[in-house]
Amino acid sequence: MIISMRLHASREEIDNVCRRIQEFGYKVHTIEGEERVVIGAVGVGDVTLCVESLQAMPGVENAVRISAPYKFVSKEFRPGRSQIRVNSVEFGGAEFVVIAGPCSVESERQLLETAEAVAQGGARMLRGGAFKPRTSPYEFQGLALEGLKLLRKAKAATGLDIITEVMSESDVELVAEYADVLQIGARNMQNFSLLKSLGRCGRPVLLKRGMSSTIKELLMSAEYIVAHENPNVILCERGIRTFETVTRNTCDLAAVAVLNELTHLPVVVDPSHATGKSSLVPALCRAAVAIGADGFMVEVHPCPEKAFSDGAQSLSFPQFQRMMRELQPYLELWKQDRLARNAAAV
Ligand code: PEP
Ligand code: MN
């Protein structure tokens, strides 16, 4: 923390501030100028509370924190990149991970056909919601346990690992039984009791960025999960709300580059929810590869016009397969770049 005192703050005010900082357990370093005193505070403690307390003290002009409020997920804690293994798939390693599948699990046929098609196209994991967070209570809410059972069937048929959303603390254990990765949706990014309950679920978590959340808030939510002893968190940029109306959300691609600077956790992009339009998905997938994401997650449906949810943003099988073919040269460049970076980091 850096605390700048007001011009000509009294000696008593300066001493009181130093004392207060020490009460919080920090070491004090003062820089005494002709007119102004600046105080540095270093150490470990409740920075937010300390800053707020100092800001309320007489003679203080401003108190700001210098270090990031998140610790375990930061690059300072662990330089480089974390690898998160999900059976034969590794996020943050030398493979770009493609996750694909329907928005919602609708029926055995729909899911199995989709699983086969995306596996053939090169997807490494199958997505599909059994518990759906819908804006309206009258919309399809998901097949719940029945959906989880179908996901298990699809895994047995294709070998694809499963990622599916858990919406409530009380379902974590159940969903963890069926899923290889638990998805936390945008609407639940700051559901702190849900985040805490993921600590010991035994599964990696894909944490989606809230639609009105800052990058820092996303990292703080990841910190919740890691601080509760689950280090396996994958971050997902899925678009944020802006004034733009042509796309469903605004895909914050720069967030991927920023996250790669700030955290060691893997980052994936969800171009389906970010754009809301299937025609835009392939371009955004290319961009996700180029900007150095660790993977992407897209929605695919056997018949998008009949989907129970998110049909407009779902790729058909031929569209997915074509996109994957056209991505190959980009994926090869990605791999060369990743290997070169990993070698340089050693
Ligand atoms: C989803 O992945 O189907 C979903 C509901 O996404 P989000 O939480 O990003 O809206
Ligand atoms: Mn969806």
Side-chain angles (χ1 to χ4, degrees):
M1 276 167 292
I2 300 280
I3 299 94
S4 20
M5 301 300 294
R6 285 189 202 285
L7 284 181
H8 310 296
S10 71
R11 179 48 51 190
E12 192 191 356
E13 286 170 340
I14 297 165
D15 290 346
N16 284 343
V17 167
C18 290
R19 212 168 304 118
R20 187 81 183 115
I21 294 169
Q22 282 160 343
E23 280 167 14
F24 273 94
Y26 296 100
K27 281 212 167 85
V28 167
H29 300 270
T30 52
I31 305 161
E32 310 236 353
E34 293 271 300
E35 298 179 318
R36 189 194 296 276
V37 172
V38 175
I39 305 166
V42 288
V44 180
D46 188 338
V47 184
T48 309
L49 195 62
C50 186
V51 163
E52 280 177 9
S53 161
L54 295 174
Q55 278 170 343
M57 288 185 79
V60 171
E61 185 166 276
N62 200 10
V64 288
R65 81 182 302 152
I66 303 296
S67 62
Y70 43 83
K71 187 167 53 176
F72 297 128
V73 305
S74 74
K75 268 258 155 76
E76 283 123 57
F77 182 76
R78 182 190 287 188
R81 214 179 278 279
S82 280
Q83 279 84 45
I84 298 179
R85 181 159 279 287
V86 185
N87 304 318
S88 66
V89 180
E90 191 175 63
F91 288 87
E95 182 195 8
F96 188 90
V97 181
V98 173
I99 308 163
C103 178
S104 303
V105 177
E106 299 169 7
S107 69
E108 177 162 349
R109 186 161 170 207
Q110 172 246 17
L111 188 67
L112 277 131
E113 283 181 5
T114 310
E116 303 274 354
V118 299
Q120 255 177 35
R124 299 282 275 126
M125 289 192 72
L126 177 68
R127 63 146 290 145
F131 294 94
K132 294 304 301 176
R134 305 308 301 279
T135 302
S136 160
Y138 309 118
E139 292 170 338
F140 179 60
Q141 304 285 307
L143 297 180
L145 178 59
E146 183 54 28
L148 295 176
K149 289 183 178 162
L150 293 177
L151 286 164
R152 178 175 280 172
K153 261 194 181 167
K155 175 173 172 154
T158 57
L160 290 178
D161 291 321
I162 301 299
I163 170 159
T164 194
E165 178 161 355
V166 58
M167 285 169 53
S168 142
E169 231 175 305
S170 56
D171 292 329
V172 167
E173 212 175 306
L174 173 72
V175 179
E177 234 181 85
Y178 289 84
D180 299 285
V181 173
L182 300 187
Q183 176 176 324
I184 297 300
R187 291 155 191 80
N188 268 320
M189 190 202 86
Q190 287 191 314
N191 180 341
F192 299 116
S193 44
L194 177 59
L195 298 180
K196 288 184 203 171
S197 75
L198 299 166
R200 289 167 189 264
C201 71
R203 300 286 183 201
V205 174
L206 181 128
L207 178 65
K208 297 188 98 177
R209 180 179 180 182
M211 59 187 89
S212 311
S213 298
T214 63
I215 292 171
K216 203 155 139 190
E217 286 164 343
L218 171 64
L219 288 170
M220 289 309 290
S221 290
E223 184 83 6
Y224 257 93
I225 303 170
V226 179
H228 284 80
E229 293 177 38
N230 185 348
N232 300 315
V233 181
I234 301 151
L235 304 172
C236 179
E237 165 59 41
R238 48 77 75 205
I240 49 173
R241 272 214 175 140
T242 67
F243 48 79
E244 185 53 71
T245 53
V246 172
T247 47
R248 182 177 180 186
N249 290 290
T250 294
C251 188
D252 184 7
L253 275 173
V256 179
V258 171
L259 288 167
N260 279 340
E261 281 190 2
L262 297 180
T263 179
H264 53 87
L265 297 176
V267 182
V268 302
V269 178
D270 171 351
S272 307
H273 292 87
T275 62
K277 273 194 187 134
S278 58
S279 65
L280 301 175
V281 168
L284 268 292
C285 285
R286 280 200 300 279
V289 175
I291 204 159
D294 295 289
F296 61 65
M297 178 161 83
V298 290
E299 289 184 337
V300 178
H301 195 280
C303 186
E305 61 270 35
K306 292 199 179 146
F308 291 4
S309 59
D310 287 350
Q313 67 194 34
S314 298
L315 299 167
S316 65
F317 298 168
Q319 284 168 340
F320 176 72
Q321 270 144 4
R322 178 170 178 194
M323 177 181 90
M324 291 300 287
R325 265 198 316 278
E326 290 177 354
L327 271 175
Q328 283 321 304
Y330 296 85
L331 290 171
E332 270 156 41
L333 281 174
W334 181 94
K335 187 152 192 165
Q336 280 173 28
D337 176 70
R338 181 56 65 95
L339 291 175
R341 275 171 203 275
N342 288 353
V346 174

